Amino acid sequence: MGETSTISRMAEKISKEIFSTLGWTIVGPLNMDWECSTLQHQSPGGRGTHPSDVVFRYEDPYSNQTIFVNTDLKSYGKTSIKRSELIKTINSLAQDTDCTRRSRTWQERFVPAGIQYTTVGMLFIYNHDNQYENDFRDTLISIDSKSIDIAPDLQLFVFGPEDVLYLLNLVYDMEHLKYQKIIPTNSECRFFYPQLIRKRAHTQYSKTLTIDALTSPWQIYTFDDTEQQRPIKGRVVYARSKGASADEFKYIFDYLFRFQLIDSDTRIIFRFPYASREAPSIFNSAIESYVLGLPAALHIHSLLKKISFDPPNRMVNNFNAEAIGMEMNDD
């Protein structure tokens, strides 16, 4: 396998590592072209086929539908992540994913008969040289909406290099906590989904982390170890936040109390992969200012002081291309 081919497949390997841990499964063949069923796509200059690098599926705890994620995997060096390239890639993915809803070929390859489902698109951008230092979100936001053509009822999700690194840190840290026995290895681990006013969860605890939840400011991983003489119950809060202000912690405190995720018998651990050096002291200050003037301040203070703020060591995102190539040749 040549170097170019190896680099192009690095995103495939990394996406498998991330999403298999988060409860997604791969359906159908990889790197498949399928027949287009939309006339306007077949006009001069259009295409007669569409590609799907990989299609993932999971069960959504709110809609009770199967979600299929039509995925475009990109492995870019730092100089390739440009606004013009993003516009072209997003428009292509939007066209591809919109067509999945009409293409009999796509549905026959990926969707079992008789199930209720929704298809969304995902652009997954891995920075293979680990040298991209710009703010990807700023680049994405700077794109003129008139240059992007997405069907009104279609959802597309874009995960840039920092998002991918955050997800890698999350799934590696989940395994690390079990290895260190901070989370009991025999525990039942699930992600929490709140009951919302306009959206009721069919199950509040799921082994799957949905694509919507992946874009949230934080994710809550819960565990219950019922084999102990006294059952252990815990929550691990992962957040993108740097913990640079007290408000960043207070929002999470509000969330924990609102959805009754905190009590005297529950162990809570905050894990912020991007935490600043000042975050631990800001965390303690946030507790003190949060309880001021609250009824039952002493009780609330005692609950918050039991939270462990323990930022994980950030994983160095530097995969060896030669080693990955050898692994792929062995597949």
Side-chain angles (χ1 to χ4, degrees), residues 233-247:
K233 181 171 61 174
R235 325 283 188 205
V236 183
V237 180
Y238 288 101
R240 299 171 185 269
S241 168
K242 293 182 179 180
S245 72
D247 284 344

Side-chain angles (χ1 to χ4, degrees), residues 148-271:
I148 302 294
D149 184 16
I150 302 176
D153 57 344
L154 180 68
Q155 282 189 297
L156 289 188
F157 298 83
V158 178
F159 290 90
E162 189 170 351
D163 299 309
V164 171
L165 181 56
Y166 174 76
L167 295 178
L168 278 167
N169 275 283
L170 189 153
V171 299
Y172 280 28
D173 191 62
M174 286 164 52
E175 295 302 318
H176 173 76
L177 291 178
K178 286 189 176 182
Y179 179 77
Q180 295 292 327
K181 298 184 179 178
I182 296 171
I183 292 178
T185 55
N186 61 348
S187 65
E188 184 71 15
C189 297
R190 298 176 183 270
F191 295 98
F192 172 73
Y193 292 93
Q195 296 290 9
L196 304 175
I197 295 174
R198 296 186 181 181
K199 192 186 288 187
R200 306 295 291 177
H202 295 271
T203 175
Q204 285 197 271
Y205 297 93
S206 171
K207 291 184 177 180
T208 297
L209 193 60
T210 69
I211 198 165
D212 295 280
L214 289 175
T215 63
S216 298
W218 58 77
Q219 298 78 34
I220 297 184
Y221 189 52
T222 72
F223 60 90
D224 283 293
D225 185 357
T226 56
E227 295 185 12
Q228 302 295 323
Q229 188 171 9
R230 182 179 179 182
I232 298 172
K233 181 171 61 174
R235 325 283 188 205
V236 183
V237 180
Y238 288 101
R240 299 171 185 269
S241 168
K242 293 182 179 180
S245 72
D247 284 344
E248 295 174 35
F249 293 106
K250 290 179 182 180
Y251 292 141
I252 302 178
F253 298 161
D254 281 342
Y255 186 92
L256 294 174
F257 282 113
R258 178 185 176 188
F259 294 107
Q260 301 178 357
L261 294 172
I262 182 170
D263 58 49
S264 57
D265 294 324
T266 301
R267 182 182 181 192
I268 297 178
I269 308 168
F270 281 12
R271 305 284 281 181

Side-chain angles (χ1 to χ4, degrees), residues 15-308:
S15 68
K16 287 179 183 178
E17 287 192 31
I18 290 172
F19 297 116
S20 63
T21 305
L22 300 180
W24 299 19
T25 56
I26 294 174
V27 293
L30 302 177
N31 304 304
M32 176 190 169
D33 287 341
W34 41 275
E35 184 179 350
C36 173
S37 298
T38 306
L39 287 177
Q40 66 192 58
H41 297 172
Q42 300 174 32
S43 61
R47 297 174 292 177
T49 62
H50 293 284
S52 288
D53 290 342
V54 60
V55 177
F56 294 100
R57 66 173 284 181
Y58 63 82
E59 307 306 314
D60 182 68
Y62 289 106
S63 67
N64 218 24
Q65 288 192 337
T66 300
I67 306 298
F68 288 86
V69 186
N70 187 56
T71 306
D72 186 3
L73 300 172
K74 298 297 185 188
S75 184
Y76 287 151
K78 66 174 183 177
T79 59
S80 299
I81 305 175
K82 299 180 291 190
R83 184 187 295 109
S84 58
E85 185 68 23
L86 282 174
I87 291 171
K88 182 176 70 173
T89 303
I90 292 171
N91 277 318
S92 177
L93 176 62
Q95 194 178 85
D96 300 340
T97 306
D98 183 42
C99 199
T100 65
R101 302 183 289 185
R102 290 177 289 277
S103 172
R104 180 174 298 178
T105 304
W106 190 90
Q107 294 167 12
E108 287 175 349
R109 295 289 191 278
F110 300 106
V111 183
I115 70 169
Q116 294 214 341
Y117 72 95
T118 297
T119 306
V120 302
M122 179 175 70
L123 174 58
F124 182 95
I125 301 174
Y126 169 65
N127 173 219
H128 65 78
D129 60 18
N130 196 35
Q131 294 180 17
Y132 183 76
E133 296 179 348
N134 296 336
D135 190 319
F136 180 82
R137 285 289 150 188
D138 283 348
T139 302
L140 198 60
I141 291 169
S142 72
I143 294 175
D144 187 344
S145 60
K146 294 178 182 178
S147 64
I148 302 294
D149 184 16
I150 302 176
D153 57 344
L154 180 68
Q155 282 189 297
L156 289 188
F157 298 83
V158 178
F159 290 90
E162 189 170 351
D163 299 309
V164 171
L165 181 56
Y166 174 76
L167 295 178
L168 278 167
N169 275 283
L170 189 153
V171 299
Y172 280 28
D173 191 62
M174 286 164 52
E175 295 302 318
H176 173 76
L177 291 178
K178 286 189 176 182
Y179 179 77
Q180 295 292 327
K181 298 184 179 178
I182 296 171
I183 292 178
T185 55
N186 61 348
S187 65
E188 184 71 15
C189 297
R190 298 176 183 270
F191 295 98
F192 172 73
Y193 292 93
Q195 296 290 9
L196 304 175
I197 295 174
R198 296 186 181 181
K199 192 186 288 187
R200 306 295 291 177
H202 295 271
T203 175
Q204 285 197 271
Y205 297 93
S206 171
K207 291 184 177 180
T208 297
L209 193 60
T210 69
I211 198 165
D212 295 280
L214 289 175
T215 63
S216 298
W218 58 77
Q219 298 78 34
I220 297 184
Y221 189 52
T222 72
F223 60 90
D224 283 293
D225 185 357
T226 56
E227 295 185 12
Q228 302 295 323
Q229 188 171 9
R230 182 179 179 182
I232 298 172
K233 181 171 61 174
R235 325 283 188 205
V236 183
V237 180
Y238 288 101
R240 299 171 185 269
S241 168
K242 293 182 179 180
S245 72
D247 284 344
E248 295 174 35
F249 293 106
K250 290 179 182 180
Y251 292 141
I252 302 178
F253 298 161
D254 281 342
Y255 186 92
L256 294 174
F257 282 113
R258 178 185 176 188
F259 294 107
Q260 301 178 357
L261 294 172
I262 182 170
D263 58 49
S264 57
D265 294 324
T266 301
R267 182 182 181 192
I268 297 178
I269 308 168
F270 281 12
R271 305 284 281 181
F272 292 20
Y274 297 123
S276 66
R277 290 184 179 180
E278 298 77 21
S281 61
I282 294 172
F283 168 72
N284 289 322
S285 296
I287 292 176
E288 302 306 321
S289 60
Y290 184 84
V291 301
L292 287 177
L294 288 180
L298 288 176
H299 175 63
I300 293 172
H301 185 270
S302 68
L303 292 178
L304 294 177
K305 290 299 286 184
K306 291 179 65 177
I307 296 174
S308 170

